[in-house]
Every structure is written in structure tokens, then in C-alpha cells.
Amino acid sequence: MSRRDDLSPDDRRIWARVAGSVTPAQPKKAALIMAGPAAVEPPAAPHPKATPKERGTPPSYTPSMAPGRPRGLPEELEPRRQRRLSRERDPIEARIDLHGFGRFQAQDALTAFLLGAQARGYRSVLVITGQGRRGGTGVIRASVHEWLQSPALRGVVSGYASAARHHGGDGALYVTVRRA
């Protein structure tokens, strides 16, 4: 009996999620090593009015080259946008309540909800996670930030922030959705 036969259907589903979230490493090419002396041509003298590309020098620094967060990763909402949502100046177009879901069912429901919201053209939604048992951090509440930053939702979610008290406080999030 192989190890794969020992897994329960739930374990197989979990393993499939883990395996699907991993990107394989790119194989590195080995350096080409030539035997014997190599004939190297001296670099040509650059023309005095040559562009950086023609001179072989790197172009000057541009903001797109700046290191930082990966492109498309959701960010914290700006305070002004968060205030407009809390005061309902910007409408909350849809809500999802994740109470009563298990961790994986909640992730699937949230992903489907946000993809549907983007398809319908919604700009802001409310995700209610709950606060967990006895005031502690619940499993869903602890995981929802990770889910919103996952590659599956990177093209959907533009930002998120904690909701105002009357919308659920720490047990809810405002999520802004990118245009399709």
C-alpha cells in the first residue's frame, strides 16, 4: 500500500490546495565554459552622443524599477476611502457573512463572492468574519488577510481595511474590488 492510499479525501483536498499554491523554481542554466584561451574583442569606444542603451550602460533609475511590494498586491485602504465607506458616502454594494463556515469552505465562498462581485462591477463590499470564540482571534479572521493577498485574488482585490463599529468592527473588513 502506498502513502497516497493512506490519505483521506479531506487530506487529499488539503494537499491539492497546498500543491496548487506553490510555484516551481525556475531551473538555473549552467554557465558556458570554453576550453582554452578565448578571443575577446575589446569593446568599441562609445560615441560621445550615444544613448545609455548604445553605450552599454544601464538606464537611469525609474520608479517602475523600485523594489517593494509585488505589483497587484492589495494594500491598506486610504483613510479617506475608509471613512467614506464607514459613513456610507460610498455604498457597500454587497456583503458576505462567513459565520458558521469551516476554514476551507470560507475560503472557497470568499473567492467565489469576490470574483462574482468583480464580474458585476461592484467597487466595495463588506466581508464579515466574526471575532472568534471568547474574544480570541478566530480561524477565519486570522486567515482572511492571507486569502485576500493570495494569487487567486490578486487581480480582484485592490485594498482592504477593518470596518467601522456599526458594520462589524474588528470582525468585518471593507474590501475594494478592482475593475474587471
Side-chain angles (χ1 to χ4, degrees), residues 46-158:
H47 190 272
K49 293 190 178 188
T51 64
K53 188 174 183 179
E54 293 168 345
R55 288 192 304 252
T57 58
S60 61
Y61 176 81
T62 59
S64 64
M65 297 168 60
R69 43 191 317 119
R71 187 164 189 227
L73 206 56
E75 297 179 355
E76 188 73 20
L77 286 182
E78 311 87 42
R80 187 173 181 181
R81 175 70 190 244
Q82 187 176 359
R83 192 170 35 246
R84 289 182 62 81
L85 286 168
S86 70
R87 294 179 181 171
E88 298 180 11
R89 302 271 193 280
D90 288 346
I92 296 172
E93 297 165 310
R95 305 167 194 264
I96 184 169
D97 189 348
L98 300 175
H99 283 101
F101 285 97
R103 178 190 165 110
F104 295 111
Q105 292 94 1
Q107 184 177 7
D108 293 341
L110 179 64
T111 302
F113 171 73
L114 290 173
L115 289 171
Q118 185 183 39
R120 289 181 192 94
Y122 295 161
R123 299 291 292 138
S124 55
V125 296
L126 183 68
V127 177
I128 302 168
T129 61
Q131 293 196 8
R133 295 187 183 180
R134 295 183 213 107
T137 303
V139 175
I140 295 172
R141 181 177 165 207
S143 303
V144 75
H145 296 284
E146 178 185 330
W147 298 342
L148 292 173
Q149 293 179 356
S150 71
L153 292 176
R154 225 173 253 170
V156 178
V157 177
S158 64

